[in-house]
Amino acid sequence: MITIQGKGVSKGIAKGKLYFYRRPDTEIVKQTVSDLDAEKARLAEAQAASIAQLEALAEKCRAEASEDTVVLFETHAMFVEDEDFVECITSVMEDENCNAEYAVREAGEQFAAMLAAMDDPYMQARAADIRDVAGRILNNLMGIVPGGIDSEEPVILAADDLAPSETLQLDKSKILAFATQGGSGNSHTAILARTMGIPALCGAGATLEEAHSGRLCYIDGETGVLYIEPDALTLAAMNEKYEQQQEMKKLLETMIGQEDITLDGRKMMLYCNIGSPEDVAAVHLNDGQGIGLFRSEFLYLSASDYPTEDEQFEAYRTVAQAMKGKRVVIRTLDIGADKQVDYFEMQKEENPAMGLRAIRICLNRPEVFRTQLRALYRASAYGKVAIMFPMITSVWEVRECKRACQKVMAELKAEGIPFNAETEIGIMIETPSAVLIADALAKEVDFFSVGTNDLTQYTLACDRQANDLGKFFDPHHPAVLRALKMATDAAHAAGIWIGICGELGADLEMLPTFLAIGIDELSVSPAAVLPLRAAIRQSIAKTCTLEKLGC
Ligand code: PEP
Ligand code: MG
């Protein structure tokens, strides 16, 4: 047995074979070929495989009644065989006597550039589709497995580290758990694992070697231990712990349908954090009463080009409708720092956590912002959508965001497109600056949501990504908790509600402090809802104290 100790970042026990993630090597090299006919046959095979994949995807969406996405995949399948596109590929191959990969990439780029240069916005948006189609044919030519996991059965996925964009593109149905050499519990990959409700550990270091691939493992996401080929004693202990967890799960299920209220009648809104429409199933399963944070940037991270207004609208509408009138807070694009998106072509920054990220990018790129706001307002006609802006530091930023919203609403009105003009607007409180001017900010918006992950990072000057800062990264620090209290007092003085959507919200030990501070809402990963509900229902709010604030 080999025991590897990391840091547990998502609870649960999983058993399966270890699979080491390999990054697809997408560098395309031009090669001269001796047998052009054989190369054309390879191309035809890749086209056929692409069409089969797209038809299967369309079929899956049809079963899920997602008609717009069915049309999207059907259109992509047509693109694969488009006469002009195929002719362009073959003429590159013939003219340059080159490999199919190079020709597909060249033809894809030529077509995308041609579409992007058109006046018609609809045709411009098709550039992304052609790039997507070319990418799919390329994957099939190069034998890159969609989802990156070349295994029939689900696996425990190991990696050096995983960027959020990589995690999102993995085939989730094949993942039992994550184990990474690097990373931190506050990284977005760890957050994604918690949202997906699967065990995960990070910071395992070099002992987590690729040579262990294929061996049977147990992972304990609570203690952060990975056992490779466990001995009989460990096996028995793991099985027992698994059984206990299953029993606890059953016990917690009795909380489904119960109100989120303390013994002395204080109500708490208990919402969920999600990253995609697929996560709504887990929200329902765990009886979340709304969505307090939809990290919309995950839509951008999982795409190979800017998601169009229609694609975004479809995602937001799906969530709004599925939540049946319950509040759905959708955060506008929050990329930058660890969430890098290639097609944004951002300049490399020395210190990206303090650089151009989140709302700063949106305010600098009004077209990107406008597209998202149009999609959000269009979705507001289908449910109780609220819009939230991340990384706010100044009042002028909020005013500029609100002006952008007004402009979009005026456009939609002129176009006769329905939207809810009363859509709530909120901001994230995740910088010390926002806390210090919370009184002024509260006059501008309908709600606050505290991002304790970033608030801890910026208040304590501790990189949330670093896994070796240990006890220095302390969300329980009195400075963070006092910031929470200041923001809450400012919100309540202005008559608006305040929640927590950072990871601290799920910390059961902190619940009495949140009740004492007067927090109105907690938004947590779906699996954290029922344990919190059980704790809320056993609490007496008026006996909770501010002791942890050190005052
Ligand atoms: C936070 O900072 O606490 C937050 C919820 O946002 P994110 O983790 O996505 O930065
Ligand atoms: Mg944040």
Side-chain angles (χ1 to χ4, degrees), residues 334-349:
D334 181 7
I335 57 162
D338 64 325
K339 291 178 282 192
Q340 292 296 330
V341 185
D342 290 347
Y343 56 83
F344 269 76
E345 291 175 359
M346 303 289 297
Q347 299 242 317
K348 205 160 170 41
E349 294 170 304

Side-chain angles (χ1 to χ4, degrees), residues 349-530:
E349 294 170 304
E350 279 298 315
N351 198 348
M354 298 214 191
L356 270 185
R357 56 167 291 200
I359 203 64
R360 298 174 184 176
I361 296 177
C362 290
L363 293 178
N364 274 358
R365 300 197 186 186
E367 262 316 297
V368 171
F369 200 26
R370 174 175 167 266
T371 302
Q372 180 166 38
L373 289 176
R374 280 183 61 95
L376 287 168
Y377 274 103
R378 282 172 60 192
S380 73
Y382 297 86
K384 191 174 178 184
V385 169
I387 300 175
M388 177 158 78
F389 302 111
M391 266 289 282
I392 293 295
T393 57
S394 309
V395 170
W396 69 262
E397 293 165 341
V398 181
R399 293 196 177 141
E400 221 171 279
C401 290
K402 290 200 306 187
R403 270 197 296 278
C405 290
Q406 291 296 340
K407 229 167 129 185
V408 158
M409 282 194 281
E411 275 176 26
L412 294 176
K413 193 168 173 200
E415 292 165 33
I417 297 174
F419 63 94
N420 175 13
E422 303 302 315
T423 299
E424 279 183 304
I425 288 181
I427 56 169
M428 294 206 52
I429 301 288
E430 51 184 350
T431 63
S433 165
V435 173
L436 293 170
I437 59 164
D439 55 343
L441 292 170
K443 294 192 184 110
E444 299 287 331
V445 294
D446 301 307
F447 66 93
F448 282 167
S449 185
V450 186
T452 49
N453 311 332
D454 277 316
L455 187 60
T456 306
Q457 156 164 271
Y458 296 125
T459 303
L460 304 184
C462 266
D463 182 356
R464 64 188 273 190
Q465 292 297 115
N467 74 13
D468 49 6
L469 281 170
K471 62 185 177 200
F472 294 105
F473 187 97
D474 176 17
H476 292 188
H477 193 293
V480 178
L481 303 179
R482 286 185 194 198
L484 256 178
K485 169 109 173 48
M486 275 179 73
T488 305
D489 291 346
H492 290 168
I496 64 169
W497 63 269
I498 180 167
I500 297 177
C501 62
E503 298 303 294
L504 187 66
D507 190 334
L508 292 171
E509 185 193 326
M510 294 308 295
L511 180 65
T513 307
F514 299 153
L515 288 167
I517 289 174
I519 295 291
D520 303 297
E521 178 242 22
L522 294 173
S523 188
V524 296
S525 62
V529 166
L530 297 178

